[in-house]
């Protein structure tokens, strides 16, 4: 007869004596951003702020079955970003047509942000002052000065 021992979930396991219990930080799944130029809608309104969520495996697999991606692999970025960008300004129905009509600099910004949040887990980047060369970290998601 084989014995099976049940164990408590990791979050309920007591901390070793004398050590404080550390909680795992809350998983951040959405990241606000500010587009460098902004999306111009059909009425001429410019939308700058938006939200991108973390990608799932499904988000990366489904575009591979898309006929547009099969015909032109460069379209993969457009379809993938349309799945993970949940809002641009007042627009909550973000689809490939909207992503296609972004300025090239905004598309590049979102591609970089996608890579950062899905590979590195954050939107921070190391930069250097062009005048003095002093290095520092900025949040490329576009937070306003003084916000955390």
């Amino acid at each position: 007869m084989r014995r099976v021992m049940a164990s408590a979930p990791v979050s309920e396991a007591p901390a070793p004596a004398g050590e404080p219990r550390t909680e795992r930080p809350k998983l951040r799944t959405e990241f606000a951003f500010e587009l460098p130029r902004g999306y111009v809608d059909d009425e001429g309104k410019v939308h700058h702020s938006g939200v991108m969520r973390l990608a799932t495996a499904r988000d990366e697999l489904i575009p591979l079955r898309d006929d547009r991606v099969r015909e032109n692999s460069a379209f993969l970025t457009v379809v993938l970003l349309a799945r993970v960008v949940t809002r641009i300004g007042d627009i909550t129905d973000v689809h490939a047509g909207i992503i296609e009509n972004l300025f090239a600099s905004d598309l590049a910004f979102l591609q970089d942000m996608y890579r950062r949040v899905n590979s590195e887990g954050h939107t921070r980047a190391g930069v250097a002052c062009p005048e003095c060369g002093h290095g520092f970290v900025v949040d490329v998601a576009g937070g306003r000065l003084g916000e955390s």
Side-chain angles (χ1 to χ4, degrees), residues 15-21:
E19 289 185 28
R21 186 173 186 179

Side-chain angles (χ1 to χ4, degrees), residues 18-35:
E19 289 185 28
R21 186 173 186 179
T22 58
E23 301 262 339
R24 187 178 261 190
K26 185 177 177 185
L27 177 64
R28 185 173 173 196
T29 60
E30 291 190 328
F31 299 83
F33 61 80
E34 291 284 325
L35 293 173

Side-chain angles (χ1 to χ4, degrees), residues 54-70:
L54 282 178
T56 64
R58 183 180 190 93
D59 290 324
E60 294 200 348
L61 293 171
I62 284 179
L64 299 176
R65 296 189 303 227
D66 190 298
D67 289 336
R68 298 168 295 187
V69 174
R70 288 182 183 175

Side-chain angles (χ1 to χ4, degrees), residues 20-146:
R21 186 173 186 179
T22 58
E23 301 262 339
R24 187 178 261 190
K26 185 177 177 185
L27 177 64
R28 185 173 173 196
T29 60
E30 291 190 328
F31 299 83
F33 61 80
E34 291 284 325
L35 293 173
R37 297 200 188 269
Y39 170 71
V40 181
D41 66 20
D42 293 337
E43 286 128 30
K45 183 177 179 184
V46 182
H47 305 268
H48 291 281
S49 63
V51 176
M52 178 186 291
R53 67 171 173 77
L54 282 178
T56 64
R58 183 180 190 93
D59 290 324
E60 294 200 348
L61 293 171
I62 284 179
L64 299 176
R65 296 189 303 227
D66 190 298
D67 289 336
R68 298 168 295 187
V69 174
R70 288 182 183 175
E71 291 174 18
N72 181 356
S73 61
F75 206 74
L76 174 64
T77 298
V78 171
V79 176
L80 185 55
L81 287 174
R83 292 186 59 83
V84 298
V85 174
T86 59
R87 182 180 62 78
I88 297 177
D90 301 333
I91 303 164
T92 56
D93 180 21
V94 179
H95 50 79
I98 289 174
I99 301 297
E100 280 182 294
N101 286 308
L102 289 171
F103 292 109
S105 58
D106 289 333
L107 180 65
F109 170 84
L110 289 176
Q111 286 175 304
D112 184 57
M113 184 173 171
Y114 177 90
R115 182 186 54 77
R116 287 181 185 282
V117 300
N118 287 288
S119 298
E120 301 169 14
H122 60 80
T123 57
R124 295 179 306 276
V127 296
C129 172
E131 295 292 320
C132 69
H134 176 74
F136 56 97
V137 176
V138 297
D139 188 340
V140 296
R144 305 236 191 270
L145 289 176

